[in-house]
Amino acid sequence: MDKNYEYSIGESINIEQLNMVCNIESELGSGTQGKVYSLISPDNSPLALKWYFPSMATKEQFDILKSLIHTPSPSEKFLWPMAIVENDVKDGFGYIMPLKENRFKSFSLWLSRKIDPTFKVLITACFEITQSFHLLHSKGYCYQDLSLNNLYFDPNSGDIRIGDTDNIVINGTEKGNVIGTPKFMAPEIITRKWLPNTQTDLYSLAVLLFYILFLNHPLEGKAESSIKSLDIPAMTKLYGLNPVFIFDPNDTSNFPDPVYHKNALIFWNIYPEFFRKLFTKSFTEGILDYQYGRVRETEWQVSLLELRDLIFYCRKCGSENFLEPYSGETLRIGKGITNIVNYDNMATTILQNIRHLKNNDYVPICWNPSCKSTGHEIMYILIDERKIITLNHDTQIYIHHVDLSFEYDFTRIVAKITKHPSNDHLWGLKNLSDRIWIVDKPNSNTIEVFPNQSLLLIPNTTIDFGKTKGTIYY
């Protein structure tokens, strides 16, 4: 008699490796590999069980799990395997992992516009995703099946969680039950030239970021909308044999269809050019040269943080917009600026570029189609001539911004914008650090701003944060 492989509500499960007995609380969902259940644990730890379908409960999968549970998780973002579970009366095996909190939602809710997170939240989520995969890859692992199905985000903060970690393997070992999710798989996997690895992860990562930020697949333009039946041969051609980026500057054959791809057309023009260039590289050079042409996680990290720092609000409708610190024109003028993440090469160019744009009547226009207002006066702070941060009513400056030894550290706020208690038009910058700021005001003496004191925002004021200096501009 065949053993049953499914669990019922209330059924007990002995987790020897954690030395506890839990009960099945509810079935959370079912995928291609198995079913996932939430558990009631004796100490109320939030835990989940994934139990494989018999066909997926292979020795290879067991060995992968056995390796993962003895490997520390790269970060708390991963719902990492904690223990393998076997049961004498059940067919196959499963594993225990942390249960994600209810605040984490599927990105599908955003793609279907059932939730409406801000750009700041989406960019934060994208940054956390790239940072997490950088950590994973730096430990010598590849994910193999990166797609939006495996990721969750908090629509209020951008915090993320990464599921389906049981398919993670050591890069180059060519193990696992999966080769990827259709539409997220790299062309060289579809054409069977390569198996999943960290390079194919980079391609999937770029697709995923494009989906989140542009609400469209990067290869689904006119070529896709002209296909009557998107069967396997058609998908193989579109995503594998002849992949053409919808915004390929040298090939417009797959440009977005205005009827079917409105999101792509709208969102493409919202982001600054330096950021769009990363996607162009990902889906042109990155497709032709899949070993060396792809955008690295660190490039995404630097650019996503820079993008988040450039957000400013439309004064008429409140929509988030992005300050454009470099135009195509200024990039051409600055012939040395070819690598946008090389700050050393452009250390003295950001301010020059913005001034050039102002002097040449560059006018920020709100992207919101129902607004399109102009006349935005954008205040910003330029730190050490290399990092620009727009100053909005909710801007917070972190230790990451003012001390290079704390790069990517957003746990400590060192300054935030405050409003005058009786005059909303007067804004200040409050010192939330433990240092005394040395401040040079225009046409005035040098002053000291102590912790918890606020400094009135006046253009051309320079603040010595200790390790760096920032100058306020308007």
Side-chain angles (χ1 to χ4, degrees):
M1 181 178 171
D2 292 337
K3 295 179 182 177
N4 181 20
Y5 67 88
E6 295 184 328
Y7 278 89
S8 304
I9 306 302
E11 204 168 351
S12 64
I13 177 168
N14 182 24
I15 310 170
E16 288 186 10
Q17 288 171 310
L18 300 183
N19 193 29
M20 65 169 66
V21 176
C22 297
N23 293 94
I24 301 293
E25 181 182 50
S26 64
E27 181 180 323
L28 298 176
S30 180
T32 56
Q33 291 182 296
K35 290 190 175 184
V36 178
Y37 305 88
S38 64
L39 301 179
I40 301 172
S41 61
D43 60 356
N44 293 320
S45 299
L47 298 174
L49 164 71
K50 178 174 178 177
W51 195 266
Y52 292 96
F53 297 133
S55 62
M56 305 303 288
T58 62
K59 181 181 183 305
E60 195 171 43
Q61 185 66 65
F62 189 90
D63 290 342
I64 291 172
L65 285 173
K66 193 175 176 181
S67 171
L68 290 174
I69 63 172
H70 290 103
T71 303
S73 175
S75 78
E76 77 283 358
K77 311 294 181 188
F78 291 87
L79 303 174
W80 201 259
M82 300 168 63
I84 298 176
V85 178
E86 295 178 277
N87 190 327
D88 291 340
V89 298
K90 299 290 182 185
D91 196 1
F93 57 87
Y95 73 94
I96 304 296
M97 59 183 155
L99 177 69
K100 69 175 174 61
E101 301 165 57
N102 286 333
R103 65 188 174 97
F104 293 100
K105 308 297 180 187
S106 168
F107 278 100
S108 63
L109 295 177
W110 159 235
L111 298 183
S112 59
R113 307 303 290 269
K114 292 179 179 175
I115 56 176
D116 192 22
T118 64
F119 279 126
K120 184 177 288 186
V121 164
L122 292 172
I123 293 166
T124 299
C126 289
F127 169 75
E128 289 206 357
I129 291 167
T130 55
Q131 186 180 45
S132 297
F133 280 92
H134 183 216
L135 287 172
L136 181 75
H137 291 160
S138 67
K139 290 181 178 294
Y141 286 89
C142 72
Y143 188 85
Q144 298 198 106
D145 188 22
L146 181 54
S147 79
L148 287 174
N149 298 331
N150 312 323
L151 294 168
Y152 310 93
F153 78 120
D154 183 334
N156 296 310
S157 67
D159 196 8
I160 66 155
R161 290 293 180 271
I162 301 169
D164 287 351
T165 54
D166 53 322
N167 293 314
I168 292 172
V169 298
I170 296 173
N171 187 43
T173 55
E174 300 182 355
K175 289 184 176 179
N177 287 328
V178 299
I179 59 170
T181 299
K183 296 191 178 187
F184 289 87
M185 292 161 59
E188 64 269 22
I189 296 179
I190 297 173
T191 54
R192 300 181 183 278
K193 293 177 181 174
W194 273 22
L195 287 170
N197 54 56
T198 53
Q199 295 299 321
T200 61
D201 272 2
L202 290 180
Y203 178 85
S204 303
L205 177 64
V207 174
L208 189 146
L209 298 178
F210 194 87
Y211 249 132
I212 294 173
L213 297 173
F214 297 91
L215 293 170
N216 201 98
H217 191 284
L219 305 181
E220 292 180 355
K222 290 180 179 176
E224 181 259 347
S225 59
S226 65
I227 298 172
K228 293 182 179 178
S229 175
L230 196 60
D231 52 17
I232 291 178
M235 291 180 68
T236 301
K237 180 180 179 182
L238 186 67
Y239 304 112
L241 294 172
N242 186 32
V244 178
F245 182 39
I246 57 176
F247 294 110
D248 189 321
N250 300 312
D251 184 350
T252 59
S253 63
N254 197 22
F255 197 75
D257 187 318
V259 175
Y260 300 104
H261 309 115
K262 291 179 181 177
N263 287 331
L265 290 169
I266 292 173
F267 282 90
W268 184 248
N269 292 316
I270 291 175
Y271 298 101
E273 184 177 3
F274 80 89
F275 191 64
R276 298 196 303 262
K277 280 177 175 286
L278 287 183
F279 287 103
T280 301
K281 178 185 176 183
S282 295
F283 301 116
T284 54
E285 185 182 339
I287 287 177
L288 294 172
D289 182 358
Y290 47 79
Q291 281 189 285
Y292 304 106
R294 288 182 177 154
V295 175
R296 314 299 305 181
E297 308 94 325
T298 47
E299 293 178 83
W300 287 119
Q301 285 175 248
V302 171
S303 296
L304 284 162
L305 292 181
E306 186 174 324
L307 183 68
R308 190 173 65 177
D309 286 339
L310 293 173
I311 291 175
F312 71 92
Y313 298 106
C314 172
R315 294 195 174 187
K316 183 178 179 183
C317 72
S319 296
E320 293 168 291
N321 287 264
F322 297 96
L323 178 65
E324 174 69 89
Y326 337 96
S327 71
E329 182 184 2
T330 51
L331 282 172
R332 283 196 296 275
I333 291 171
K335 292 179 181 178
I337 309 172
T338 54
N339 181 354
I340 66 167
V341 298
N342 189 340
Y343 282 114
D344 291 334
N345 283 348
M346 54 192 301
T348 61
T349 61
I350 295 176
L351 186 59
Q352 292 169 3
N353 284 338
I354 290 182
R355 286 176 172 169
H356 173 84
L357 293 171
K358 274 192 168 183
N359 293 337
N360 286 274
D361 297 327
Y362 166 71
V363 180
I365 301 173
C366 178
W367 71 270
N368 188 333
S370 62
C371 181
K372 295 287 185 186
S373 67
T374 59
H376 301 287
E377 294 179 333
I378 305 163
M379 187 174 281
Y380 56 90
I381 185 168
L382 185 61
I383 296 177
D384 276 1
E385 300 286 333
R386 62 179 178 79
K387 197 183 292 286
I388 185 169
I389 309 167
T390 52
L391 298 175
N392 305 298
H393 68 276
D394 59 352
T395 294
Q396 293 179 327
I397 297 176
Y398 295 87
I399 190 72
H400 156 85
H401 293 112
V402 299
D403 191 336
L404 286 173
S405 58
F406 288 92
E407 195 172 38
Y408 303 145
D409 187 342
F410 294 94
T411 61
R412 293 166 57 187
I413 302 171
V414 298
K416 73 172 185 178
I417 295 294
T418 57
K419 286 185 179 179
H420 191 277
S422 59
N423 187 342
D424 284 349
H425 297 290
L426 292 180
W427 287 13
L429 190 64
K430 188 172 184 177
N431 182 358
L432 295 177
S433 72
D434 55 5
R435 290 175 178 271
I436 299 172
W437 294 347
I438 308 300
V439 175
D440 288 319
K441 289 186 173 182
N443 305 318
S444 180
N445 296 327
T446 298
I447 64 168
E448 293 181 332
V449 176
F450 289 83
N452 291 317
Q453 283 187 331
S454 290
L455 167 72
L456 186 65
L457 289 180
I458 300 174
N460 298 317
T461 298
T462 297
I463 306 169
D464 186 339
F465 292 106
K467 296 290 183 67
T468 55
K469 289 184 178 180
T471 303
I472 297 167
Y473 295 99
Y474 209 41

